[in-house]
Amino acid sequence: MADHSERDEFTELPDLSEFLREDPYLVPYQEDLCRRYQLFTERLSKLEEAEGSFDDFTRSYMSYGVQRQANNSLMFREWAPGAQALFLTGDFNDWNSTSHPYTKKEYGKWELYLPPKRDKAPAIEHETKLKHQHTRPKRPRSLRIYEAHVGIASPAEEIATYTNFTLNVLPKIKDLGYNCVQLMAIMEHAYYGSFGYQVTNFFAASSRFGTPEDLKRLVDTAHSLGITVLLDVVHSHASSNTADGLNKFDGTDSCFFHSGPRGHHPQWGSRLFNYQSWEVLRFLLSNLRWWMEEYRFDGFRFDGVSSMLYHHHGIAMSFSGGYSEYFGMQVDEDSIIHLMLSNHILHTLYPDCITIAEDVSGMPGLCKPVKNGGLGFDYRLNMAVPDKWIQILKELKDEEWDMGNIVYTLTNRRKGEGSIGYAESHDQALVGDKSLAFWLMDKEMYTNMSSLIPMTPVIDRGIQLHKMIRLLTHALGGEGYLNFMGNEFGHPDWLDFPRKGNGESYQYARRQYNLLDPDNNLRYTQLYAFDRDMNLTEDKYGWLTVYHGYEKKEDKVIVFERANVMFVFNFHPSNSYSDYRIAAGPNGKYRIKLDSDAEQYGGHGRLDTDTEFFTEQEPFKGVNDQWQPHSLKVGYRNRVGYSTAGWVGYRVGYSTAGWVEYRVGYSTAGWVGYRVGCSTAGWVG
């Protein structure tokens, strides 16, 4: 599939013209970028010369491990250069530790041949294989990710299964308007409480959730629903377990890892791969191909990329954005070349493959194509955003919220590089922290969430701000959006896996989807409905696919335009505004499309969504302080957010005229009551 001709797009030097034009501060570091690129091309060339093609090389999983031959014999092959002897043991030989020795081959490889039984059956039985029936969905235009953990995806105090996820969670993801599910903790891990980040077997799906066929059925069902499936892949480190992990696999301290201190992560207590090793490269790249081929995943979220990029692993580092932090001796170029190879191979063999990097450092070019001097990822996680929201809720009174600082955090990302925005992920749900809903409403979530009683001030504030924070993050925080399971409806509890400290309890290792039962009459259903309609509105207008421009961030008000949709938020805890003028480009008429103050979302219903708003031919300073030929007068109540859109020969988004009350977020024109968010659309011209 791949041969030397596939490197025709690669020249001796990368095309840095666009990269440097977008970021002139990189000009002094051109040589560093070119050196990385040259190291990558040299590595790729050597790989192809030695192995024939990177397609063959990355299919090494078809020759290593255990392979069934045409006559039902079994061939076992392993790489263990430091071993003196290897033996195979299991149920088939009553766990005899010496009855089946491997034969040593060259280059540290070992082989064992097991002939078929007398009845021609394999010496070791193998489960039946499920064939995928549905093709992969096309790569989403806008990426809306539902981050999920199979084991906690049930209200029951137990480990949930792949089958439960297929039957009960995938339909919710589809209903909510998410077009991608990101599965955590799939790679086998011995310690459940590690959240799947202490991998013990890279070529096995976790058996605690069910069989491999169950997982394949999950992926296939997701594809039938048009949902893209990403694997949370952990290639940044490995469990230090020796009995069931890779650590000391051949009896030495090295093998797959660096020997000595460099091979140990000082905080995680795990082992660090030697990315310069040829066989480690084979192992990890083949692992990516195996998940893509065997389980039909559509891409990966690479965990711990910041740890990979630097020799200091980001420990005790507060990245300031200074470019000297990204170049120099502290950078692990072996890891960088490995990531470039991973992305190049994945995107060459699977053009619609999606790769996301978990990186907090802001490494330039992380999400630029390899041929343009980048590392080749499609997106990075905008990890500063959830930290900002938690910091605001922990430390500031409502009157102290700085709109300019919020907008800066949401938009402070590298131009031309994809970013996934999110208000909270699994990190914020873990014990020791709180979800946004818990920060906002705390213990009242257990007693005052009934929709049959009036909202208390705490619940009212919490519900309105929960919607506004999520809509603002969705609309301004990136080129993709992510939500951790349950947070869409304001899940009330933290996440804590069974451990000695909690009596091995599963009480907090679950997601209480039962709270959404209509018979319970709880306001969680209102938050769920808003999250669903927020995603569906984005699906219609596609604001995640285009660059944004923002207009105002004064008076606790944020106004911006994206994809011809105008968003208006009033976060003020008490002030409402009428006849509040904002800039509008095209002349026309606008209507509200999404309103966070709507009663079905737990709002106060102070906006008439049938109202039409008209622009005026009065110039007004708008996006980036540029004068626009038209403007609108809008009114908004405190704590309201909304979005608006209209037509001017083409679709135009804006906030139309009306008034908005305190804490309202919305896209459209009209007025929004306190703590509301909305969007609108209509005809212009």
Side-chain angles (χ1 to χ4, degrees), residues 459-486:
I459 295 298
D460 194 0
R461 170 183 178 269
I463 284 181
Q464 313 316 328
L465 284 179
H466 189 271
K467 292 176 293 186
M468 292 179 66
I469 288 172
R470 294 172 69 84
L471 176 59
L472 181 58
T473 303
H474 200 307
L476 199 58
E479 289 69 45
Y481 178 75
L482 179 143
N483 164 69
F484 179 63
M485 61 190 311

PDB file of all heavy atoms in Angstrom, residues 459-486:
ATOM      1  N   ILE A 459     -29.896  27.575  42.999  1.00  0.00           N
ATOM      2  CA  ILE A 459     -30.214  26.736  41.848  1.00  0.00           C
ATOM      3  C   ILE A 459     -30.442  27.594  40.612  1.00  0.00           C
ATOM      4  O   ILE A 459     -29.981  27.252  39.508  1.00  0.00           O
ATOM      5  CB  ILE A 459     -31.441  25.857  42.139  1.00  0.00           C
ATOM      6  CG1 ILE A 459     -31.135  24.867  43.265  1.00  0.00           C
ATOM      7  CG2 ILE A 459     -31.877  25.115  40.880  1.00  0.00           C
ATOM      8  CD1 ILE A 459     -30.022  23.887  42.964  1.00  0.00           C
ATOM      9  N   ASP A 460     -31.134  28.715  40.777  1.00  0.00           N
ATOM     10  CA  ASP A 460     -31.392  29.609  39.643  1.00  0.00           C
ATOM     11  C   ASP A 460     -30.082  30.108  39.047  1.00  0.00           C
ATOM     12  O   ASP A 460     -29.845  30.005  37.835  1.00  0.00           O
ATOM     13  CB  ASP A 460     -32.245  30.786  40.116  1.00  0.00           C
ATOM     14  CG  ASP A 460     -32.829  31.576  38.956  1.00  0.00           C
ATOM     15  OD1 ASP A 460     -32.572  31.211  37.788  1.00  0.00           O
ATOM     16  OD2 ASP A 460     -33.543  32.561  39.210  1.00  0.00           O
ATOM     17  N   ARG A 461     -29.211  30.617  39.894  1.00  0.00           N
ATOM     18  CA  ARG A 461     -27.913  31.100  39.414  1.00  0.00           C
ATOM     19  C   ARG A 461     -27.140  29.969  38.758  1.00  0.00           C
ATOM     20  O   ARG A 461     -26.547  30.125  37.679  1.00  0.00           O
ATOM     21  CB  ARG A 461     -27.105  31.670  40.575  1.00  0.00           C
ATOM     22  CG  ARG A 461     -25.647  31.995  40.243  1.00  0.00           C
ATOM     23  CD  ARG A 461     -24.901  32.485  41.474  1.00  0.00           C
ATOM     24  NE  ARG A 461     -23.503  32.766  41.181  1.00  0.00           N
ATOM     25  CZ  ARG A 461     -22.520  31.883  41.299  1.00  0.00           C
ATOM     26  NH1 ARG A 461     -22.784  30.637  41.690  1.00  0.00           N
ATOM     27  NH2 ARG A 461     -21.264  32.226  41.020  1.00  0.00           N
ATOM     28  N   GLY A 462     -27.125  28.807  39.398  1.00  0.00           N
ATOM     29  CA  GLY A 462     -26.341  27.693  38.886  1.00  0.00           C
ATOM     30  C   GLY A 462     -26.811  27.210  37.535  1.00  0.00           C
ATOM     31  O   GLY A 462     -26.004  26.964  36.631  1.00  0.00           O
ATOM     32  N   ILE A 463     -28.113  27.044  37.367  1.00  0.00           N
ATOM     33  CA  ILE A 463     -28.645  26.540  36.102  1.00  0.00           C
ATOM     34  C   ILE A 463     -28.376  27.529  34.971  1.00  0.00           C
ATOM     35  O   ILE A 463     -27.964  27.133  33.865  1.00  0.00           O
ATOM     36  CB  ILE A 463     -30.148  26.252  36.241  1.00  0.00           C
ATOM     37  CG1 ILE A 463     -30.347  24.945  37.013  1.00  0.00           C
ATOM     38  CG2 ILE A 463     -30.826  26.164  34.874  1.00  0.00           C
ATOM     39  CD1 ILE A 463     -31.782  24.544  37.203  1.00  0.00           C
ATOM     40  N   GLN A 464     -28.578  28.816  35.227  1.00  0.00           N
ATOM     41  CA  GLN A 464     -28.372  29.805  34.156  1.00  0.00           C
ATOM     42  C   GLN A 464     -26.890  29.907  33.769  1.00  0.00           C
ATOM     43  O   GLN A 464     -26.545  29.940  32.586  1.00  0.00           O
ATOM     44  CB  GLN A 464     -28.910  31.177  34.579  1.00  0.00           C
ATOM     45  CG  GLN A 464     -30.307  31.190  35.192  1.00  0.00           C
ATOM     46  CD  GLN A 464     -31.327  30.336  34.463  1.00  0.00           C
ATOM     47  OE1 GLN A 464     -31.259  30.171  33.244  1.00  0.00           O
ATOM     48  NE2 GLN A 464     -32.274  29.770  35.201  1.00  0.00           N
ATOM     49  N   LEU A 465     -26.011  29.942  34.766  1.00  0.00           N
ATOM     50  CA  LEU A 465     -24.581  30.059  34.458  1.00  0.00           C
ATOM     51  C   LEU A 465     -24.045  28.773  33.836  1.00  0.00           C
ATOM     52  O   LEU A 465     -23.148  28.818  32.988  1.00  0.00           O
ATOM     53  CB  LEU A 465     -23.791  30.403  35.719  1.00  0.00           C
ATOM     54  CG  LEU A 465     -23.888  31.861  36.182  1.00  0.00           C
ATOM     55  CD1 LEU A 465     -23.092  32.073  37.461  1.00  0.00           C
ATOM     56  CD2 LEU A 465     -23.399  32.816  35.101  1.00  0.00           C
ATOM     57  N   HIS A 466     -24.559  27.620  34.231  1.00  0.00           N
ATOM     58  CA  HIS A 466     -24.120  26.355  33.639  1.00  0.00           C
ATOM     59  C   HIS A 466     -24.352  26.371  32.134  1.00  0.00           C
ATOM     60  O   HIS A 466     -23.475  25.992  31.340  1.00  0.00           O
ATOM     61  CB  HIS A 466     -24.890  25.201  34.280  1.00  0.00           C
ATOM     62  CG  HIS A 466     -24.386  23.840  33.913  1.00  0.00           C
ATOM     63  ND1 HIS A 466     -24.835  23.143  32.807  1.00  0.00           N
ATOM     64  CD2 HIS A 466     -23.452  23.038  34.496  1.00  0.00           C
ATOM     65  CE1 HIS A 466     -24.217  21.981  32.735  1.00  0.00           C
ATOM     66  NE2 HIS A 466     -23.380  21.881  33.741  1.00  0.00           N
ATOM     67  N   LYS A 467     -25.516  26.839  31.719  1.00  0.00           N
ATOM     68  CA  LYS A 467     -25.826  26.915  30.288  1.00  0.00           C
ATOM     69  C   LYS A 467     -24.960  27.949  29.586  1.00  0.00           C
ATOM     70  O   LYS A 467     -24.431  27.707  28.481  1.00  0.00           O
ATOM     71  CB  LYS A 467     -27.309  27.253  30.096  1.00  0.00           C
ATOM     72  CG  LYS A 467     -28.270  26.156  30.533  1.00  0.00           C
ATOM     73  CD  LYS A 467     -29.716  26.587  30.403  1.00  0.00           C
ATOM     74  CE  LYS A 467     -30.069  27.691  31.377  1.00  0.00           C
ATOM     75  NZ  LYS A 467     -31.505  28.026  31.355  1.00  0.00           N
ATOM     76  N   MET A 468     -24.812  29.110  30.191  1.00  0.00           N
ATOM     77  CA  MET A 468     -24.059  30.192  29.546  1.00  0.00           C
ATOM     78  C   MET A 468     -22.588  29.843  29.380  1.00  0.00           C
ATOM     79  O   MET A 468     -21.981  30.114  28.338  1.00  0.00           O
ATOM     80  CB  MET A 468     -24.215  31.478  30.364  1.00  0.00           C
ATOM     81  CG  MET A 468     -25.616  32.056  30.343  1.00  0.00           C
ATOM     82  SD  MET A 468     -25.741  33.543  31.340  1.00  0.00           S
ATOM     83  CE  MET A 468     -24.696  34.666  30.416  1.00  0.00           C
ATOM     84  N   ILE A 469     -22.008  29.239  30.415  1.00  0.00           N
ATOM     85  CA  ILE A 469     -20.590  28.859  30.349  1.00  0.00           C
ATOM     86  C   ILE A 469     -20.367  27.854  29.229  1.00  0.00           C
ATOM     87  O   ILE A 469     -19.414  27.954  28.448  1.00  0.00           O
ATOM     88  CB  ILE A 469     -20.129  28.293  31.708  1.00  0.00           C
ATOM     89  CG1 ILE A 469     -20.015  29.419  32.741  1.00  0.00           C
ATOM     90  CG2 ILE A 469     -18.792  27.558  31.559  1.00  0.00           C
ATOM     91  CD1 ILE A 469     -19.760  28.931  34.159  1.00  0.00           C
ATOM     92  N   ARG A 470     -21.262  26.884  29.106  1.00  0.00           N
ATOM     93  CA  ARG A 470     -21.103  25.857  28.086  1.00  0.00           C
ATOM     94  C   ARG A 470     -21.335  26.416  26.679  1.00  0.00           C
ATOM     95  O   ARG A 470     -20.620  26.072  25.739  1.00  0.00           O
ATOM     96  CB  ARG A 470     -22.042  24.693  28.385  1.00  0.00           C
ATOM     97  CG  ARG A 470     -21.664  23.957  29.670  1.00  0.00           C
ATOM     98  CD  ARG A 470     -22.701  22.928  30.074  1.00  0.00           C
ATOM     99  NE  ARG A 470     -22.706  21.813  29.138  1.00  0.00           N
ATOM    100  CZ  ARG A 470     -21.879  20.780  29.202  1.00  0.00           C
ATOM    101  NH1 ARG A 470     -20.960  20.726  30.150  1.00  0.00           N
ATOM    102  NH2 ARG A 470     -21.964  19.802  28.330  1.00  0.00           N
ATOM    103  N   LEU A 471     -22.344  27.279  26.522  1.00  0.00           N
ATOM    104  CA  LEU A 471     -22.593  27.868  25.207  1.00  0.00           C
ATOM    105  C   LEU A 471     -21.442  28.779  24.788  1.00  0.00           C
ATOM    106  O   LEU A 471     -20.983  28.730  23.643  1.00  0.00           O
ATOM    107  CB  LEU A 471     -23.907  28.655  25.214  1.00  0.00           C
ATOM    108  CG  LEU A 471     -24.242  29.399  23.916  1.00  0.00           C
ATOM    109  CD1 LEU A 471     -24.334  28.445  22.729  1.00  0.00           C
ATOM    110  CD2 LEU A 471     -25.539  30.199  24.067  1.00  0.00           C
ATOM    111  N   LEU A 472     -20.944  29.591  25.717  1.00  0.00           N
ATOM    112  CA  LEU A 472     -19.835  30.483  25.395  1.00  0.00           C
ATOM    113  C   LEU A 472     -18.590  29.682  25.020  1.00  0.00           C
ATOM    114  O   LEU A 472     -17.887  30.013  24.055  1.00  0.00           O
ATOM    115  CB  LEU A 472     -19.540  31.408  26.580  1.00  0.00           C
ATOM    116  CG  LEU A 472     -18.405  32.421  26.388  1.00  0.00           C
ATOM    117  CD1 LEU A 472     -18.671  33.329  25.190  1.00  0.00           C
ATOM    118  CD2 LEU A 472     -18.208  33.253  27.655  1.00  0.00           C
ATOM    119  N   THR A 473     -18.319  28.620  25.758  1.00  0.00           N
ATOM    120  CA  THR A 473     -17.168  27.773  25.447  1.00  0.00           C
ATOM    121  C   THR A 473     -17.351  27.077  24.107  1.00  0.00           C
ATOM    122  O   THR A 473     -16.414  26.985  23.305  1.00  0.00           O
ATOM    123  CB  THR A 473     -16.958  26.738  26.564  1.00  0.00           C
ATOM    124  OG1 THR A 473     -16.792  27.408  27.819  1.00  0.00           O
ATOM    125  CG2 THR A 473     -15.726  25.882  26.288  1.00  0.00           C
ATOM    126  N   HIS A 474     -18.533  26.576  23.865  1.00  0.00           N
ATOM    127  CA  HIS A 474     -18.851  25.893  22.603  1.00  0.00           C
ATOM    128  C   HIS A 474     -18.641  26.844  21.424  1.00  0.00           C
ATOM    129  O   HIS A 474     -18.059  26.472  20.392  1.00  0.00           O
ATOM    130  CB  HIS A 474     -20.306  25.420  22.658  1.00  0.00           C
ATOM    131  CG  HIS A 474     -20.658  24.331  21.694  1.00  0.00           C
ATOM    132  ND1 HIS A 474     -20.412  24.419  20.336  1.00  0.00           N
ATOM    133  CD2 HIS A 474     -21.276  23.126  21.875  1.00  0.00           C
ATOM    134  CE1 HIS A 474     -20.848  23.322  19.745  1.00  0.00           C
ATOM    135  NE2 HIS A 474     -21.367  22.513  20.652  1.00  0.00           N
ATOM    136  N   ALA A 475     -19.096  28.069  21.582  1.00  0.00           N
ATOM    137  CA  ALA A 475     -19.118  29.005  20.466  1.00  0.00           C
ATOM    138  C   ALA A 475     -17.803  29.740  20.249  1.00  0.00           C
ATOM    139  O   ALA A 475     -17.546  30.225  19.144  1.00  0.00           O
ATOM    140  CB  ALA A 475     -20.236  30.032  20.678  1.00  0.00           C
ATOM    141  N   LEU A 476     -16.961  29.829  21.269  1.00  0.00           N
ATOM    142  CA  LEU A 476     -15.760  30.662  21.156  1.00  0.00           C
ATOM    143  C   LEU A 476     -14.465  29.926  21.487  1.00  0.00           C
ATOM    144  O   LEU A 476     -13.383  30.414  21.164  1.00  0.00           O
ATOM    145  CB  LEU A 476     -15.911  31.876  22.098  1.00  0.00           C
ATOM    146  CG  LEU A 476     -15.030  33.096  21.854  1.00  0.00           C
ATOM    147  CD1 LEU A 476     -15.216  33.659  20.457  1.00  0.00           C
ATOM    148  CD2 LEU A 476     -15.310  34.176  22.901  1.00  0.00           C
ATOM    149  N   GLY A 477     -14.555  28.726  22.079  1.00  0.00           N
ATOM    150  CA  GLY A 477     -13.381  28.105  22.669  1.00  0.00           C
ATOM    151  C   GLY A 477     -12.542  27.219  21.780  1.00  0.00           C
ATOM    152  O   GLY A 477     -11.518  26.706  22.224  1.00  0.00           O
ATOM    153  N   GLY A 478     -12.938  26.994  20.524  1.00  0.00           N
ATOM    154  CA  GLY A 478     -12.113  26.129  19.690  1.00  0.00           C
ATOM    155  C   GLY A 478     -12.751  25.825  18.359  1.00  0.00           C
ATOM    156  O   GLY A 478     -13.791  26.381  17.988  1.00  0.00           O
ATOM    157  N   GLU A 479     -12.104  24.907  17.637  1.00  0.00           N
ATOM    158  CA  GLU A 479     -12.615  24.429  16.355  1.00  0.00           C
ATOM    159  C   GLU A 479     -13.318  23.073  16.523  1.00  0.00           C
ATOM    160  O   GLU A 479     -13.716  22.443  15.556  1.00  0.00           O
ATOM    161  CB  GLU A 479     -11.475  24.302  15.341  1.00  0.00           C
ATOM    162  CG  GLU A 479     -10.925  25.637  14.860  1.00  0.00           C
ATOM    163  CD  GLU A 479     -10.173  26.399  15.939  1.00  0.00           C
ATOM    164  OE1 GLU A 479      -9.361  25.797  16.668  1.00  0.00           O
ATOM    165  OE2 GLU A 479     -10.415  27.634  16.070  1.00  0.00           O
ATOM    166  N   GLY A 480     -13.425  22.642  17.749  1.00  0.00           N
ATOM    167  CA  GLY A 480     -14.155  21.450  18.125  1.00  0.00           C
ATOM    168  C   GLY A 480     -14.610  21.640  19.560  1.00  0.00           C
ATOM    169  O   GLY A 480     -14.185  22.576  20.252  1.00  0.00           O
ATOM    170  N   TYR A 481     -15.491  20.760  20.029  1.00  0.00           N
ATOM    171  CA  TYR A 481     -16.038  20.903  21.386  1.00  0.00           C
ATOM    172  C   TYR A 481     -16.089  19.527  22.040  1.00  0.00           C
ATOM    173  O   TYR A 481     -16.367  18.517  21.381  1.00  0.00           O
ATOM    174  CB  TYR A 481     -17.441  21.507  21.332  1.00  0.00           C
ATOM    175  CG  TYR A 481     -18.110  21.646  22.683  1.00  0.00           C
ATOM    176  CD1 TYR A 481     -17.718  22.641  23.569  1.00  0.00           C
ATOM    177  CD2 TYR A 481     -19.128  20.780  23.074  1.00  0.00           C
ATOM    178  CE1 TYR A 481     -18.327  22.775  24.812  1.00  0.00           C
ATOM    179  CE2 TYR A 481     -19.741  20.897  24.319  1.00  0.00           C
ATOM    180  CZ  TYR A 481     -19.331  21.894  25.180  1.00  0.00           C
ATOM    181  OH  TYR A 481     -19.927  22.019  26.418  1.00  0.00           O
ATOM    182  N   LEU A 482     -15.821  19.484  23.337  1.00  0.00           N
ATOM    183  CA  LEU A 482     -15.811  18.230  24.088  1.00  0.00           C
ATOM    184  C   LEU A 482     -16.619  18.365  25.367  1.00  0.00           C
ATOM    185  O   LEU A 482     -16.590  19.403  26.041  1.00  0.00           O
ATOM    186  CB  LEU A 482     -14.374  17.818  24.406  1.00  0.00           C
ATOM    187  CG  LEU A 482     -14.163  16.533  25.215  1.00  0.00           C
ATOM    188  CD1 LEU A 482     -12.928  15.776  24.727  1.00  0.00           C
ATOM    189  CD2 LEU A 482     -14.007  16.853  26.719  1.00  0.00           C
ATOM    190  N   ASN A 483     -17.336  17.290  25.702  1.00  0.00           N
ATOM    191  CA  ASN A 483     -18.081  17.209  26.948  1.00  0.00           C
ATOM    192  C   ASN A 483     -17.830  15.840  27.572  1.00  0.00           C
ATOM    193  O   ASN A 483     -17.834  14.817  26.885  1.00  0.00           O
ATOM    194  CB  ASN A 483     -19.582  17.372  26.671  1.00  0.00           C
ATOM    195  CG  ASN A 483     -20.432  16.924  27.849  1.00  0.00           C
ATOM    196  OD1 ASN A 483     -20.438  17.551  28.891  1.00  0.00           O
ATOM    197  ND2 ASN A 483     -21.155  15.809  27.671  1.00  0.00           N
ATOM    198  N   PHE A 484     -17.611  15.819  28.883  1.00  0.00           N
ATOM    199  CA  PHE A 484     -17.470  14.545  29.586  1.00  0.00           C
ATOM    200  C   PHE A 484     -18.842  14.026  30.001  1.00  0.00           C
ATOM    201  O   PHE A 484     -19.698  14.778  30.480  1.00  0.00           O
ATOM    202  CB  PHE A 484     -16.575  14.700  30.812  1.00  0.00           C
ATOM    203  CG  PHE A 484     -16.412  13.431  31.607  1.00  0.00           C
ATOM    204  CD1 PHE A 484     -15.802  12.321  31.040  1.00  0.00           C
ATOM    205  CD2 PHE A 484     -16.887  13.336  32.908  1.00  0.00           C
ATOM    206  CE1 PHE A 484     -15.658  11.139  31.761  1.00  0.00           C
ATOM    207  CE2 PHE A 484     -16.743  12.165  33.637  1.00  0.00           C
ATOM    208  CZ  PHE A 484     -16.127  11.060  33.052  1.00  0.00           C
ATOM    209  N   MET A 485     -19.049  12.755  29.832  1.00  0.00           N
ATOM    210  CA  MET A 485     -20.342  12.110  30.042  1.00  0.00           C
ATOM    211  C   MET A 485     -20.994  12.532  31.361  1.00  0.00           C
ATOM    212  O   MET A 485     -20.368  12.526  32.428  1.00  0.00           O
ATOM    213  CB  MET A 485     -20.169  10.591  30.000  1.00  0.00           C
ATOM    214  CG  MET A 485     -19.248  10.041  31.068  1.00  0.00           C
ATOM    215  SD  MET A 485     -18.805   8.289  30.842  1.00  0.00           S
ATOM    216  CE  MET A 485     -20.374   7.520  30.567  1.00  0.00           C
ATOM    217  N   GLY A 486     -22.241  12.898  31.258  1.00  0.00           N
ATOM    218  CA  GLY A 486     -23.006  13.305  32.429  1.00  0.00           C
ATOM    219  C   GLY A 486     -22.986  14.795  32.693  1.00  0.00           C
ATOM    220  O   GLY A 486     -23.934  15.349  33.256  1.00  0.00           O
TER     221      GLY A 486
END
